[in-house]
Amino acid sequence: MDPHAIEVRRLRKTYPGGIEAVKGIDFEVASGEVFGLLGPNGAGKSTTIGMLTTTISPTSGTARLAGFDVAKHPLAARRISSVVFQEPVVDRSLTGRRNLEIHARLWAVEESEAKARIAEIADTLGLSELVDRPVGTFSGGERRRLEIARALVSQPRVLFLDEPTVGLDPRIRAELLDVIAGLRARNDMTVLVTTHYLDEAERLCDRLAIIHSGRIVALDTPTALRADLGREIVELRVNGDARSVLESLRKRGIAGDDAFTVGSTLTVPLHEHTSGEAIAVVSELGVASAISTRQPTLDDVYLRLTGDRLAEAA
Ligand code: ADP
């Protein structure tokens, strides 16, 4: 049987000084899958990516890329993978094509093969028109696309994208997402992406893991993660202490263990109750200044599990 594209078993990283950044995580990613790693700052995402890309040595446990143990066979693991870092690595003074050619040579891709690959990748990433311009003249979004093109030149079986859309304006972000979504069509490549943007994770990822304080706290398809919160949510803007209102609603049987507060906002997944019942109880208690109902989103899943506000995580 083919090994998983990525297989992580009881992986741990304790930095000198005793900081336990990753506390024993397990997951596997199938070939061709797009897998998301989400979590607030300090959750352990970069450390995990660092171990998978062989720049950080695990304290214990194993991680394999296409069967190659990253600690025992780092060169083999690197040979079948590529990383797109947050920091640019392309040379601004050279043209896009020259950057790609140099990278191809680094990977010992034969010249005519490199030419064909670069043409195909430039076409896939919508770079054909600008690939002969110096990178210094590229917009931020175009440069990001070139960074991805660079990573694809070696035809990786596993591609790591570390927060690919951070800091981009909405249009450029949408364009880049479209390009990344296009990579899903390539069944031979597995993508692991880290992001703070939940809409992005929902759109791109077949499955995702939410990591918090060095542990995976949820792992499933975006749809299944949302389904855990039921079909409907009541959201209250609370007068006074949201936590004590939550306790009252728990005592009345309206709120379950998965209800949570962020500041003065209280979010209550309803499950077996109707919104009418919930609103009646809230009105009777006289504790809310605003009340609304909606369907659960991935943000709710994330906020419930990480206990952090997105603003802090971004
Ligand atoms: P994320 O990428 O999710 O923001 P990180 O993996 O960067 O999380 O960090 C996880 C934890 O490990 C944090 O507490 C961070 O301060 C700590 N950490 C990261 N890098 C180092 C390092 N080189 N030395 C010591 N502690 C580190």
Side-chain angles (χ1 to χ4, degrees):
M1 215 178 86
D2 268 1
H4 284 108
I6 305 174
E7 189 184 280
V8 171
R9 291 276 170 265
R10 281 174 284 177
L11 190 64
R12 267 177 196 278
K13 178 66 189 181
T14 306
Y15 285 110
I19 296 163
E20 292 183 78
V22 175
K23 297 174 184 162
I25 58 170
D26 291 90
F27 64 91
E28 63 247 5
V29 185
S31 183
E33 199 174 12
V34 179
F35 189 85
L37 208 52
L38 307 183
N41 281 341
K45 301 181 299 297
S46 304
T47 303
T48 302
I49 291 248
M51 290 191 279
L52 291 174
T53 55
T54 77
T55 56
I56 296 175
S57 56
T59 305
S60 63
T62 55
R64 293 175 196 276
L65 302 185
F68 296 112
D69 187 310
V70 295
K72 291 189 187 132
H73 304 288
L75 290 180
R78 276 211 290 270
R79 205 171 300 128
I80 56 96
S81 59
S82 254
V83 198
V84 180
F85 299 100
Q86 286 180 44
E87 303 79 36
V89 295
V90 290
D91 188 327
R92 292 171 61 86
S93 65
L94 303 177
T95 64
R97 188 184 301 281
R98 196 73 200 116
N99 269 289
L100 299 180
E101 284 168 354
I102 290 171
H103 194 67
R105 191 174 304 164
L106 220 66
W107 281 86
V109 183
E110 193 265 318
E111 217 173 299
S112 65
E113 168 69 14
K115 206 167 168 206
R117 277 192 207 176
I118 290 168
E120 191 226 312
I121 293 166
D123 184 46
T124 310
L125 298 194
L127 290 167
S128 302
E129 305 281 299
L130 33 119
V131 75
D132 288 310
R133 280 187 1 212
V135 175
T137 69
F138 283 27
S139 70
E142 290 163 351
R143 195 185 42 68
R144 297 265 175 121
R145 274 188 273 154
L146 184 67
E147 298 277 349
I148 296 176
R150 184 199 58 81
L152 294 181
V153 164
S154 60
Q155 295 190 317
R157 287 181 58 187
V158 181
L159 176 68
F160 295 97
L161 298 173
D162 193 11
E163 301 200 26
T165 62
V166 77
L168 296 178
D169 79 40
R171 167 163 295 279
I172 292 175
R173 190 175 152 229
E175 285 171 6
L176 194 68
L177 283 179
D178 183 64
V179 163
I180 298 171
L183 299 179
R184 286 181 72 163
R186 301 172 54 141
N187 293 328
D188 52 341
M189 192 170 71
T190 302
V191 181
L192 188 145
V193 56
T194 66
T195 180
H196 282 314
Y197 301 110
L198 298 164
D199 58 329
E200 192 168 301
E202 174 126 38
R203 184 161 152 206
L204 292 179
C205 299
D206 297 307
R207 288 186 308 145
L208 43 97
I210 299 178
I211 179 163
H212 183 46
S213 298
R215 291 201 169 86
I216 289 178
V217 291
L219 194 165
D220 215 324
T221 63
T223 310
L225 288 171
R226 267 191 287 109
D228 270 354
L229 294 183
R231 280 191 310 242
E232 201 175 20
I233 268 177
V234 164
E235 194 166 272
L236 315 174
R237 181 96 193 138
V238 168
N239 308 316
D241 180 17
R243 284 168 199 273
S244 63
V245 174
L246 173 56
E247 277 317 301
S248 309
L249 290 179
R250 281 195 173 133
K251 281 197 191 107
R252 301 289 294 263
I254 291 294
D257 285 346
D258 57 2
F260 61 92
T261 62
V262 177
S264 302
T265 301
L266 172 53
T267 304
V268 184
L270 288 174
H271 301 288
E272 69 271 24
H273 291 287
T274 65
S275 52
E277 286 165 354
I279 290 168
V281 171
V282 171
S283 308
E284 194 189 309
L285 292 170
V287 288
S289 60
I291 182 162
S292 59
T293 59
R294 58 179 176 78
Q295 291 183 337
T297 65
L298 213 47
D299 288 49
D300 298 314
V301 178
Y302 179 98
L303 290 170
R304 178 174 92 76
L305 293 169
T306 61
D308 281 284
R309 284 185 306 175
L310 288 187
E312 287 166 359

